[in-house]
Amino acid sequence: MDTELRLQVLAAVAGFSPYHFHRIFKGIVGEKLDNFIQRKRVEKAASILLCRPDIPVTENALHCGFSSSSVFARVFRAHFGMSTTDICARMKKRS
């Protein structure tokens, strides 16, 4: 998930046109390809954040395929309803 995944490339690998691949993917998975990729990336980054708090947030974001830490922060807040700082603070309270 840390590399750029493009519809055209994935469709070619699967042997479908981009249009048909997108329709099939959404029908099976239940969400658009871009949304799926973004969700998987932010969930992976959150897992790393929780399991490896020693890794800087920016490094984690870039490793998981986000173009910048600000993009990651925006996506993280939209997905989880809190910032990475909030998550880290909660983890420190539990420790």
Side-chain angles (χ1 to χ4, degrees):
M1 289 302 207
D2 57 342
T3 60
E4 188 175 351
L5 300 172
R6 293 180 179 241
L7 174 62
Q8 292 78 7
V9 174
L10 295 173
V13 168
F16 294 105
S17 71
Y19 173 78
H20 282 97
F21 179 81
H22 191 265
R23 285 186 59 222
I24 292 167
F25 185 89
K26 187 175 181 190
I28 292 172
V29 177
E31 62 186 317
K32 293 179 181 179
L33 178 64
D34 291 342
N35 295 350
F36 173 81
I37 292 168
Q38 188 173 65
R39 180 177 60 80
K40 296 304 283 183
R41 284 180 174 161
V42 76
E43 289 172 355
K44 177 182 177 185
S47 177
I48 293 170
L49 182 67
L50 295 174
C51 296
R52 297 284 314 273
D54 57 308
I55 297 176
V57 173
T58 300
E59 183 180 329
N60 185 8
L62 296 174
H63 173 74
C64 291
F66 290 94
S67 59
S68 69
S69 59
S70 61
V71 171
F72 171 64
R74 186 177 66 245
V75 171
F76 191 94
R77 182 179 290 279
H79 187 77
F80 293 107
M82 62 181 68
S83 69
T84 56
T85 306
D86 295 338
I87 291 283
C88 292
R90 287 185 183 196
M91 290 303 294
K92 285 181 184 178
K93 285 181 183 178
R94 289 184 181 177
S95 298

